[in-house]
Amino acid sequence: MSWILLFIAGLLEVAWAAGLKSSEGFTRLWPSVFTLVTATGSFVLLAMAMRQLPLGTAYAVWTGIGAVGAFIFGIVMMGEALTVARVASAASRWNRCRTASRKCVRRSIARVISSRSCRC
């Protein structure tokens, strides 16, 4: 369940980043409200996921989903430029996110095998 909450929190991070861009520096009311609501939801779900997941893993995955998701959303929905530098940056962030997730899964398997409770 923690992973599902974390995934939704990451999607909400993409939503609030897009809302922040649309709010034009919080000068437009409804995009600003949308940004604040989705940011709050993202933080609340991240906090709930962190009850079970390690800090480093949860934060890396959350920011990875948000960074790569905002990158893709910006290109597809907002017409932002697709450059080699931007692709390399997004790929680097995603790779760090995947590495953190794998480490957490390995620790979880080791805990289950050693009959300890699984927190991740």
Side-chain angles (χ1 to χ4, degrees):
M1 183 65 165
S2 297
W3 285 103
I4 294 169
L5 294 175
L6 185 60
F7 180 73
I8 295 168
L11 294 179
L12 286 174
E13 185 180 8
V14 175
W16 73 255
L20 187 62
K21 175 79 171 172
S22 298
S23 76
E24 297 176 6
F26 291 109
T27 60
R28 297 179 59 214
L29 177 63
W30 294 114
S32 298
V33 170
F34 175 81
T35 300
L36 295 174
V37 168
T38 54
T40 300
S42 181
F43 284 116
V44 167
L45 292 177
L46 174 62
M48 291 171 65
M50 289 172 82
R51 291 178 185 163
Q52 297 289 317
L53 300 174
L55 166 70
T57 301
Y59 190 72
V61 171
W62 180 67
T63 59
I65 293 169
V68 174
F71 168 79
I72 293 169
F73 186 87
I75 291 168
V76 173
M77 300 304 292
M78 297 183 141
E80 294 179 354
L82 178 61
T83 64
V84 173
R86 291 185 73 210
V87 170
S89 176
S92 172
R93 167 52 83 186
W94 183 252
N95 191 36
R96 280 185 250 148
C97 172
R98 283 185 30 230
T99 301
S101 297
R102 283 189 202 132
K103 287 179 183 177
C104 184
V105 169
R106 277 187 243 136
R107 281 195 303 265
S108 295
I109 292 169
R111 284 183 186 139
V112 170
I113 291 171
S114 66
S115 297
R116 288 199 247 158
S117 65
C118 180
R119 293 192 47 153
C120 182

